[in-house]
Amino acid sequence: MTKYIDFLKKAFNGEDTDFTKVNIRSAVLLLAIPMMLEMAMESVFALVDLYFVGHLKESGFAIQTVGLTESVLSIMYSIAIGMSMAATALVARRIGEKNPEQASRSAAQVVLVSFIVTFILSLAGVIYAEEILILMGSKPEAAAYGKNFTRIMMGSSTIIMLLFLINGIFRGAGNATIAMKSLWIANIANIILCPVLIKGLGPVPAMGLTGAALATTIGRSIGVLYQLYHLLIADTQIRIKMSYFTPDFPLIKSIVNIATPGIFQFVIASCSWIFLAELVATTGGENASAGYQTALRLMMFFMLPAWGLSNAASTLVGQNMGANEMLRAEQSVMKTVKYNVIFMLIVSLLFIFLGNFLVSFFTQEAEIKDFAKNALHIMSIGFIFYGIGMVMINAFNGAGDTWTPTWVNLFGFWMFQIPLAYFLSKHLDLGPKGVFISIPAAETLITVVAFILFKRGKWKTVKV
């Protein structure tokens, strides 16, 4: 027992570890534990908002607004994740080569490029918030109700980007603990501020849905300040000096070459989810849309920890390739697959047997609950395949081979999932249920294709 406690302490404390030398099982778990908790905290943001706004007077409008805004923000997440892929791949490879100074320079350049891109896009979100909600399938009255929430959330895109990106830098360096703690700090602030700003307390007026957006933004901002302290001031393996922000165009070109397909990779997936959300809203109405968004938030609460576990493969592939340990890189991926399959099997059983209870925690409206429960049961069928697929995708990304998963996503989502969802929901008149069915079908296909390509081993030849 003492051995396991000491191991957990090591994982939580983030002690310096050479992940190219330690036992593979230990390497995966030392990274996976804080990474899973980090991603669990990211999913808590949406669930906390969903819980509080689900009890507002106009809960249908509120839940739909939160869900549709998150769907649009997923494009911003895609940019942040794509850039963080480049950061993780470059930093991990340089750390594997035992060159922390160049790892720090790479990190600074990714931050510089990402900040500029995201700032421009966030302005568009602030200006066209109401129009974006209507475009997503929201009714004019619902869009008018939720526009301030969307405006604030879109305006905070730069903060979202920094939170994702800097955590990607620390993960690449193998210091997943700092990434985890930043999300814990941000969530604690959000959980405290949500009831205060939504319902009001003392001199603080009740702001309703707008208060949820402010609480989330403030919480994330506090998390980013914690990250910046460790990135710029604290004595960590990655230590950025202000001079590192001077544009290094050859390095920027390398970043763009890795990040661009990485961004497309997640934009492709995110736009697919946006299309599905619009299809549910138009074929099933407001209650179907709210139920679907509730199911997605619950699904992502468990999916993000699984994604965190799969991030261990990204770091280990990058660092082991930097150390020229190709066999060890591949073995690390397969070990991560094993743990993710176990986790996703548990989640599948949880959704099948406790789906109604979980949905009831967020809404008491019978029709919304029925749609949400139905969506959970259908989507959970493909969870095990989803768990394998996300490890494969992260393995490619950790190697710097961001084009392969981009093409896989384009094929799986746009050439298979969207046509299937449209056919089932419209031509077979299955409505929202047809959309739900298309999700596990597409994820299974993507996993099979990604696994075959991983075994072919072309990723082992990528230089970054």
Side-chain angles (χ1 to χ4, degrees):
M1 180 62 71
T2 303
K3 179 177 69 174
Y4 295 116
I5 293 174
D6 290 340
F7 185 86
L8 287 174
K9 286 181 178 178
K10 187 175 182 180
F12 285 119
N13 291 334
E15 299 175 16
D16 287 340
T17 303
D18 188 343
F19 291 104
T20 65
K21 300 294 183 185
V22 299
N23 175 272
I24 291 177
R25 177 176 177 273
S26 296
V28 171
L29 293 177
L30 283 172
L31 288 169
I33 291 170
M35 285 178 177
M36 290 181 73
L37 292 173
E38 173 200 347
M39 289 293 102
M41 287 300 98
E42 178 58 38
S43 65
V44 166
F45 274 113
L47 284 183
V48 169
D49 289 347
L50 192 63
Y51 172 78
F52 284 108
V53 303
H55 292 81
L56 291 173
K57 185 177 180 181
E58 299 286 350
S59 62
F61 285 172
I63 292 173
Q64 185 183 40
T65 298
V66 172
L68 293 179
T69 301
E70 283 290 317
S71 294
V72 176
L73 275 175
S74 63
I75 295 177
M76 297 297 185
Y77 296 151
S78 298
I79 296 171
I81 293 171
M83 297 303 295
S84 71
M85 270 184 226
T88 299
L90 288 165
V91 169
R93 193 72 69 95
R94 301 294 87 83
I95 292 296
E97 294 169 353
K98 307 299 185 287
N99 190 351
E101 181 181 349
Q102 190 58 33
S104 299
R105 290 182 181 276
S106 300
Q109 295 298 302
V110 181
V111 171
L112 177 65
V113 174
S114 302
F115 184 86
I116 295 171
V117 173
T118 313
F119 180 75
I120 294 171
L121 291 174
S122 69
L123 286 179
V126 171
I127 296 170
Y128 298 107
E130 188 170 357
E131 290 81 359
I132 288 171
L133 287 173
I134 292 174
L135 183 65
M136 287 289 295
S138 179
K139 294 179 181 178
E141 56 269 29
Y145 174 84
K147 64 182 179 182
N148 287 335
F149 175 90
T150 303
R151 185 169 288 127
I152 294 169
M153 295 299 290
M154 294 295 290
S156 69
S157 295
T158 302
I159 296 298
I160 294 171
M161 180 276 297
L162 287 173
L163 197 63
F164 273 88
L165 177 61
I166 298 174
N167 276 353
I169 291 169
F170 284 121
R171 285 195 298 268
N175 197 335
T177 302
I178 292 176
M180 174 192 71
K181 290 179 179 178
S182 68
L183 266 297
W184 277 92
I185 291 169
N187 267 285
I188 290 171
N190 184 47
I191 291 169
I192 293 172
L193 289 171
C194 254
V196 173
L197 297 180
I198 292 174
K199 298 181 178 180
L201 180 66
V204 180
M207 302 182 199
L209 189 59
T210 301
L214 286 173
T216 299
T217 300
I218 294 170
R220 282 179 168 146
S221 298
I222 294 172
V224 168
L225 289 175
Y226 174 82
Q227 291 175 322
L228 291 174
Y229 167 77
H230 285 280
L231 200 62
L232 302 173
I233 300 172
D235 184 19
T236 56
Q237 193 172 23
I238 298 295
R239 177 79 177 274
I240 293 180
K241 300 176 182 178
M242 295 309 295
S243 61
Y244 293 174
F245 287 107
T246 302
D248 181 340
F249 292 105
L251 182 53
I252 288 174
K253 181 180 178 181
S254 179
I255 291 167
V256 171
N257 287 339
I258 299 172
T260 300
I263 293 170
F264 282 130
Q265 179 186 140
F266 281 87
V267 167
I268 287 166
S270 299
C271 288
S272 172
W273 287 104
I274 290 173
F275 182 87
L276 296 185
E278 192 273 339
L279 198 55
V280 169
T282 53
T283 59
E286 179 186 310
N287 287 332
S289 179
Y292 175 62
Q293 297 300 337
T294 300
L296 282 185
R297 299 287 77 76
L298 280 165
M299 184 183 82
M300 291 310 297
F301 178 78
F302 293 98
M303 283 296 177
L304 282 174
W307 187 261
L309 198 162
S310 69
N311 275 333
S314 183
T315 299
L316 291 171
V317 165
Q319 291 199 10
N320 281 297
M321 287 181 71
N324 201 30
E325 294 282 354
M326 298 301 178
L327 178 60
R328 183 180 170 88
E330 185 169 355
Q331 290 173 337
S332 298
V333 172
M334 299 315 297
K335 182 69 72 173
T336 308
V337 164
K338 174 184 174 181
Y339 293 134
N340 223 18
V341 165
I342 294 171
F343 178 77
M344 293 309 296
L345 176 61
I346 294 171
V347 174
S348 297
L349 295 174
L350 187 66
F351 277 12
I352 290 170
F353 293 107
L354 296 178
N356 191 53
F357 169 77
L358 293 171
V359 168
S360 298
F361 187 69
F362 295 99
T363 181
Q364 294 301 317
E365 295 191 26
E367 193 171 353
I368 295 177
K369 284 174 61 177
D370 286 342
F371 277 113
K373 182 175 68 174
N374 192 26
L376 281 180
H377 286 167
I378 293 173
M379 290 189 295
S380 64
I381 295 171
F383 278 3
I384 291 177
F385 289 99
Y386 200 1
I388 298 171
M390 65 177 68
V391 176
M392 297 294 108
I393 296 298
N394 271 301
F396 288 123
N397 291 329
D401 179 15
T402 47
W403 273 116
T404 294
T406 300
W407 290 117
V408 170
N409 279 355
L410 180 64
F411 168 73
F413 288 120
W414 285 91
M415 297 179 70
F416 181 76
Q417 185 184 61
I418 289 177
L420 179 63
Y422 191 87
F423 176 77
L424 293 176
S425 62
K426 296 276 192 177
H427 291 280
L428 296 187
D429 293 325
L430 293 179
K433 186 176 181 180
V435 178
F436 305 157
I437 292 171
S438 72
I439 295 172
E443 295 298 346
T444 301
L445 179 63
I446 287 171
T447 296
V448 171
V449 173
F451 187 82
I452 292 171
L453 293 175
F454 176 79
K455 281 298 185 180
R456 288 183 178 178
K458 186 179 176 182
W459 55 273
K460 297 177 183 178
T461 65
V462 176
K463 306 292 182 184
V464 300

